[in-house]
Short mmCIF file of all heavy atoms in Angstrom, two decimals:
data_model
loop_
_atom_site.label_atom_id
_atom_site.label_comp_id
_atom_site.label_asym_id
_atom_site.label_seq_id
_atom_site.Cartn_x
_atom_site.Cartn_y
_atom_site.Cartn_z
N ALA A 27 121.05 137.82 -9.07
CA ALA A 27 119.84 137.33 -8.44
C ALA A 27 119.20 138.40 -7.59
O ALA A 27 119.75 139.47 -7.37
CB ALA A 27 120.14 136.09 -7.59
N ALA A 28 118.02 138.09 -7.09
CA ALA A 28 117.24 139.05 -6.34
C ALA A 28 117.91 139.41 -5.03
O ALA A 28 118.72 138.66 -4.50
CB ALA A 28 115.86 138.46 -6.07
N PRO A 29 117.60 140.61 -4.48
CA PRO A 29 118.19 141.03 -3.23
C PRO A 29 117.80 140.12 -2.08
O PRO A 29 116.87 139.34 -2.18
CB PRO A 29 117.62 142.45 -3.04
CG PRO A 29 116.41 142.51 -3.89
CD PRO A 29 116.68 141.60 -5.04
N ALA A 30 118.54 140.27 -0.96
CA ALA A 30 118.38 139.34 0.15
C ALA A 30 116.97 139.29 0.69
O ALA A 30 116.47 138.23 1.05
CB ALA A 30 119.36 139.72 1.28
N GLN A 31 116.28 140.44 0.77
CA GLN A 31 114.95 140.42 1.33
C GLN A 31 113.97 139.66 0.46
O GLN A 31 112.94 139.19 0.93
CB GLN A 31 114.42 141.84 1.59
CG GLN A 31 114.16 142.68 0.35
CD GLN A 31 115.39 143.44 -0.09
OE1 GLN A 31 116.51 143.07 0.21
NE2 GLN A 31 115.19 144.53 -0.81
N ALA A 32 114.31 139.48 -0.82
CA ALA A 32 113.46 138.69 -1.69
C ALA A 32 113.54 137.22 -1.35
O ALA A 32 112.70 136.43 -1.76
CB ALA A 32 113.85 138.91 -3.15
N GLN A 33 114.56 136.82 -0.61
CA GLN A 33 114.77 135.43 -0.27
C GLN A 33 114.59 135.16 1.21
O GLN A 33 114.69 134.03 1.66
CB GLN A 33 116.18 135.02 -0.68
CG GLN A 33 116.45 135.31 -2.14
CD GLN A 33 117.90 135.35 -2.47
OE1 GLN A 33 118.63 134.45 -2.15
NE2 GLN A 33 118.35 136.41 -3.11
N GLY A 34 114.31 136.19 1.95
CA GLY A 34 114.21 136.01 3.40
C GLY A 34 113.08 135.10 3.80
O GLY A 34 113.19 134.34 4.74
N GLY A 35 111.95 135.18 3.10
CA GLY A 35 110.82 134.32 3.41
C GLY A 35 110.73 133.20 2.41
O GLY A 35 109.85 133.18 1.58
N ASP A 36 111.67 132.25 2.47
CA ASP A 36 111.75 131.24 1.42
C ASP A 36 110.87 130.05 1.76
O ASP A 36 111.31 128.92 1.83
CB ASP A 36 113.19 130.81 1.16
CG ASP A 36 113.85 130.23 2.40
OD1 ASP A 36 113.34 130.43 3.51
OD2 ASP A 36 114.89 129.57 2.24
N GLY A 37 109.56 130.31 1.95
CA GLY A 37 108.63 129.19 2.14
C GLY A 37 108.66 128.31 0.91
O GLY A 37 108.52 128.79 -0.19
N GLU A 38 108.83 127.02 1.09
CA GLU A 38 109.03 126.13 -0.04
C GLU A 38 107.93 125.08 -0.10
O GLU A 38 107.66 124.40 0.87
CB GLU A 38 110.38 125.43 0.07
CG GLU A 38 111.56 126.38 0.06
CD GLU A 38 112.85 125.70 0.44
OE1 GLU A 38 112.80 124.51 0.76
OE2 GLU A 38 113.89 126.35 0.41
N SER A 39 107.27 124.96 -1.23
CA SER A 39 106.39 123.84 -1.49
C SER A 39 107.10 122.95 -2.49
O SER A 39 107.36 123.35 -3.62
CB SER A 39 105.04 124.32 -2.03
OG SER A 39 105.19 125.16 -3.14
N GLU A 40 107.48 121.77 -2.07
CA GLU A 40 108.41 120.95 -2.84
C GLU A 40 107.68 119.97 -3.76
O GLU A 40 106.59 119.50 -3.47
CB GLU A 40 109.30 120.13 -1.89
CG GLU A 40 110.02 120.97 -0.84
CD GLU A 40 111.13 121.79 -1.44
OE1 GLU A 40 111.36 121.69 -2.65
OE2 GLU A 40 111.77 122.52 -0.68
N MET A 41 108.33 119.65 -4.88
CA MET A 41 107.89 118.55 -5.72
C MET A 41 108.07 117.26 -4.93
O MET A 41 109.14 116.99 -4.38
CB MET A 41 108.74 118.49 -7.00
CG MET A 41 108.55 117.22 -7.82
SD MET A 41 106.95 117.10 -8.60
CE MET A 41 107.23 118.10 -10.07
N PRO A 42 107.03 116.40 -4.81
CA PRO A 42 107.19 115.15 -4.10
C PRO A 42 108.34 114.32 -4.66
O PRO A 42 108.47 114.16 -5.87
CB PRO A 42 105.84 114.45 -4.33
CG PRO A 42 104.88 115.55 -4.60
CD PRO A 42 105.67 116.59 -5.32
N ALA A 43 109.18 113.80 -3.78
CA ALA A 43 110.36 113.05 -4.20
C ALA A 43 109.98 111.61 -4.54
O ALA A 43 109.03 111.04 -4.01
CB ALA A 43 111.40 113.07 -3.09
N ASP A 44 110.74 111.01 -5.44
CA ASP A 44 110.57 109.60 -5.74
C ASP A 44 111.17 108.77 -4.63
O ASP A 44 112.12 109.19 -3.95
CB ASP A 44 111.26 109.24 -7.06
CG ASP A 44 110.56 109.89 -8.25
OD1 ASP A 44 109.33 110.08 -8.17
OD2 ASP A 44 111.26 110.19 -9.24
N SER A 45 110.64 107.58 -4.42
CA SER A 45 111.16 106.73 -3.36
C SER A 45 112.50 106.11 -3.72
O SER A 45 113.32 105.83 -2.86
CB SER A 45 110.15 105.61 -3.05
OG SER A 45 109.88 104.86 -4.22
N ALA A 46 112.77 105.90 -5.00
CA ALA A 46 114.05 105.32 -5.42
C ALA A 46 115.15 106.36 -5.31
O ALA A 46 114.94 107.54 -5.59
CB ALA A 46 113.94 104.82 -6.86
N PRO A 47 116.38 105.91 -4.92
CA PRO A 47 117.48 106.86 -4.73
C PRO A 47 118.15 107.26 -6.02
O PRO A 47 119.37 107.18 -6.16
CB PRO A 47 118.43 106.08 -3.81
CG PRO A 47 118.23 104.66 -4.21
CD PRO A 47 116.76 104.54 -4.54
N ASP A 48 117.38 107.67 -7.02
CA ASP A 48 117.95 108.14 -8.27
C ASP A 48 118.21 109.63 -8.18
O ASP A 48 117.64 110.33 -7.35
CB ASP A 48 117.00 107.84 -9.44
CG ASP A 48 116.79 106.35 -9.66
OD1 ASP A 48 117.74 105.59 -9.43
OD2 ASP A 48 115.67 105.97 -10.05
N VAL A 49 119.05 110.11 -9.08
CA VAL A 49 119.29 111.55 -9.15
C VAL A 49 118.08 112.22 -9.79
O VAL A 49 117.64 111.83 -10.87
CB VAL A 49 120.56 111.85 -9.97
CG1 VAL A 49 120.74 113.36 -10.14
CG2 VAL A 49 121.78 111.24 -9.31
N THR A 50 117.54 113.22 -9.12
CA THR A 50 116.46 114.02 -9.67
C THR A 50 116.87 115.48 -9.64
O THR A 50 117.67 115.89 -8.80
CB THR A 50 115.15 113.83 -8.88
OG1 THR A 50 115.34 114.27 -7.53
CG2 THR A 50 114.71 112.38 -8.89
N ALA A 51 116.32 116.27 -10.55
CA ALA A 51 116.67 117.68 -10.61
C ALA A 51 115.45 118.49 -11.03
O ALA A 51 114.59 118.00 -11.76
CB ALA A 51 117.83 117.91 -11.58
N ARG A 52 115.39 119.72 -10.55
CA ARG A 52 114.31 120.63 -10.89
C ARG A 52 114.87 122.04 -10.99
O ARG A 52 115.70 122.45 -10.17
CB ARG A 52 113.21 120.59 -9.83
CG ARG A 52 112.00 121.47 -10.12
CD ARG A 52 110.97 121.35 -9.00
NE ARG A 52 111.44 122.03 -7.81
CZ ARG A 52 110.96 123.20 -7.36
NH1 ARG A 52 110.01 123.82 -8.04
NH2 ARG A 52 111.41 123.74 -6.25
N VAL A 53 114.44 122.80 -11.98
CA VAL A 53 114.84 124.19 -12.12
C VAL A 53 113.59 125.05 -12.23
O VAL A 53 112.57 124.62 -12.79
CB VAL A 53 115.75 124.43 -13.34
CG1 VAL A 53 117.07 123.69 -13.17
CG2 VAL A 53 115.06 124.01 -14.62
N VAL A 54 113.66 126.25 -11.66
CA VAL A 54 112.59 127.23 -11.76
C VAL A 54 113.20 128.53 -12.24
O VAL A 54 114.18 129.01 -11.66
CB VAL A 54 111.88 127.45 -10.40
CG1 VAL A 54 110.83 128.56 -10.53
CG2 VAL A 54 111.24 126.16 -9.91
N LEU A 55 112.65 129.09 -13.29
CA LEU A 55 113.08 130.39 -13.79
C LEU A 55 111.92 131.36 -13.65
O LEU A 55 110.81 131.08 -14.13
CB LEU A 55 113.52 130.29 -15.24
CG LEU A 55 114.72 129.38 -15.52
CD1 LEU A 55 115.03 129.34 -17.01
CD2 LEU A 55 115.95 129.85 -14.74
N GLY A 56 112.17 132.48 -12.99
CA GLY A 56 111.10 133.44 -12.77
C GLY A 56 111.65 134.79 -12.37
O GLY A 56 112.79 135.13 -12.69
N GLY A 57 110.84 135.53 -11.67
CA GLY A 57 111.25 136.85 -11.24
C GLY A 57 110.56 137.24 -9.95
O GLY A 57 109.59 136.60 -9.52
N VAL A 58 111.10 138.27 -9.31
CA VAL A 58 110.52 138.79 -8.08
C VAL A 58 110.30 140.29 -8.20
O VAL A 58 111.04 140.99 -8.91
CB VAL A 58 111.41 138.52 -6.84
CG1 VAL A 58 111.51 137.05 -6.54
CG2 VAL A 58 112.79 139.13 -7.02
N TRP A 59 109.29 140.76 -7.53
CA TRP A 59 109.03 142.18 -7.36
C TRP A 59 109.31 142.46 -5.90
O TRP A 59 108.60 141.97 -5.02
CB TRP A 59 107.58 142.50 -7.73
CG TRP A 59 107.21 143.94 -7.65
CD1 TRP A 59 107.56 144.95 -8.49
CD2 TRP A 59 106.36 144.55 -6.65
NE1 TRP A 59 107.01 146.15 -8.10
CE2 TRP A 59 106.25 145.93 -6.97
CE3 TRP A 59 105.69 144.07 -5.53
CZ2 TRP A 59 105.50 146.81 -6.20
CZ3 TRP A 59 104.92 144.95 -4.76
CH2 TRP A 59 104.85 146.31 -5.10
N ALA A 60 110.41 143.19 -5.62
CA ALA A 60 110.90 143.32 -4.26
C ALA A 60 111.45 144.71 -4.02
O ALA A 60 111.81 145.43 -4.97
CB ALA A 60 112.01 142.27 -4.01
N PRO A 61 111.56 145.14 -2.75
CA PRO A 61 112.20 146.42 -2.43
C PRO A 61 113.62 146.46 -2.99
O PRO A 61 114.31 145.44 -3.04
CB PRO A 61 112.20 146.45 -0.90
CG PRO A 61 111.06 145.56 -0.51
CD PRO A 61 111.04 144.46 -1.53
N ASP A 62 114.08 147.66 -3.43
CA ASP A 62 115.40 147.75 -4.04
C ASP A 62 116.53 147.76 -3.00
O ASP A 62 117.70 147.69 -3.37
CB ASP A 62 115.51 148.94 -4.99
CG ASP A 62 115.29 150.28 -4.32
OD1 ASP A 62 115.01 150.32 -3.10
OD2 ASP A 62 115.40 151.32 -5.01
#
C-alpha cells in the first residue's frame, strides 16, 4: 500500500449508511501520487 504520508490526510466522504442494522460493505480500488 501507499506510504504513510499518502494516508496522513485521510479526509473521508462516506457512503450514507442504511438505517437497518444489516451488514454493508464497500471497497475502493485506486492509486495515489505521493512523495517516495
Side-chain angles (χ1 to χ4, degrees):
Q31 67 272 23
Q33 306 161 52
D36 59 344
E38 299 169 357
S39 53
E40 307 288 359
M41 169 69 83
D44 292 329
S45 57
D48 296 326
V49 175
T50 62
R52 182 180 72 107
V53 295
V54 176
L55 297 178
V58 294
W59 183 73
D62 61 358

